[in-house]
Amino acid sequence: MAIKKSDIYRSLWDSCDQLRGGMDASLYKDYILTLLFVKYVSDRAGQADALIEVPDGCSFEDIKKLRGNKEIGEGIDTAIAGIAEANDLKNVIDRAYFNDTEKFGKGAKMVSTLTSLINIFSREELNFSRNRADGDDILGDAYEYLMRNFATESGKSKGQFYTPAEVSRVVAAVAGINRANSPRHAAPAPCC
């Protein structure tokens, strides 16, 4: 069954709502995309097209077991660090720290916030093991969705954070790059 992007986007925005008040909105994407990545690679682990190794004790299912646990932030960080280490992704996917009391609060506040985030990513519409949008770049589209919405919500110039896909396609066309060179639309221009 194909995943509806609107369901993914709704869940992503719900997860952002859980982070409101604890940190600057420009940081939400780091935490949300990290959890989405862990969820996606965990659900796809063991399948023929899985490109990322998920070591024992580091899957999203292992993270779900941390709900309500006072060591939840440290446990999430440990699981992510395990995936990063196993796949040569250190300092790539492990840059968002979930055991940060300044962002998530202390004690019960941190446990509640992180448990709520895990519950959102446990929703059936985010089950990537059998729900798949064939031919779609789910993670890339999620990133683009978050960047577009944070640029819109930000008081700063949108151009500082995000180049809309439409602009990227025009720039690619002017540069002579067409869809025949890529299995997908022209890639978004890199952020400054």
Side-chain angles (χ1 to χ4, degrees):
M1 176 180 196
I3 295 173
K4 292 181 182 176
K5 287 184 185 179
S6 61
D7 290 340
I8 294 172
Y9 297 161
R10 182 177 53 252
S11 291
L12 290 175
W13 205 248
D14 287 349
S15 62
C16 292
D17 285 340
Q18 290 300 313
L19 299 179
R20 292 195 199 289
M23 67 184 81
D24 186 71
S26 66
L27 299 176
Y28 294 173
K29 70 183 177 329
D30 299 333
Y31 293 92
I32 302 311
L33 289 171
T34 298
L35 280 178
L36 182 64
F37 177 80
V38 170
K39 177 69 166 100
Y40 182 83
V41 299
S42 294
D43 286 353
R44 304 297 297 162
Q47 296 186 15
D49 61 348
L51 301 174
I52 301 292
E53 177 188 345
V54 180
D56 290 339
C58 299
S59 72
F60 188 77
E61 285 301 313
D62 295 309
I63 290 175
K64 281 173 61 173
K65 294 174 187 172
L66 297 168
R67 293 181 288 192
N69 185 315
K70 67 180 183 172
E71 304 297 327
I72 190 170
E74 184 178 343
I76 294 171
D77 287 343
T78 300
I80 293 167
I83 294 172
E85 179 75 32
N87 296 281
D88 197 26
L89 293 171
K90 289 187 84 159
N91 296 317
V92 176
I93 64 165
D94 56 352
R95 294 174 54 163
Y97 297 103
F98 289 83
N99 199 31
D100 187 335
T101 57
E102 288 185 28
K103 291 183 175 68
F104 295 104
K106 295 180 181 178
K109 171 71 173 135
M110 177 185 282
V111 171
S112 174
T113 300
L114 293 177
T115 295
S116 294
L117 277 177
I118 293 168
N119 287 340
I120 290 168
F121 282 91
S122 299
R123 292 177 178 172
E124 187 58 32
E125 63 262 22
L126 294 180
N127 181 346
F128 300 111
S129 64
R130 66 176 190 275
N131 260 345
R132 182 154 177 202
D134 287 328
D136 279 344
D137 177 7
I138 293 170
L139 296 178
D141 290 346
Y143 177 79
E144 188 174 328
Y145 168 80
L146 288 173
M147 290 303 290
R148 179 178 57 246
N149 280 289
F150 287 125
T152 301
E153 296 284 319
S154 172
K156 299 179 181 175
S157 168
K158 295 176 190 175
Q160 289 180 303
F161 299 106
Y162 171 73
T163 302
E166 298 82 6
V167 172
S168 295
R169 284 192 284 277
V170 169
V171 170
V174 168
I177 300 169
N178 60 37
R179 292 178 194 220
N181 294 337
S182 173
R184 195 174 132 77
H185 303 295
C191 182
C192 42

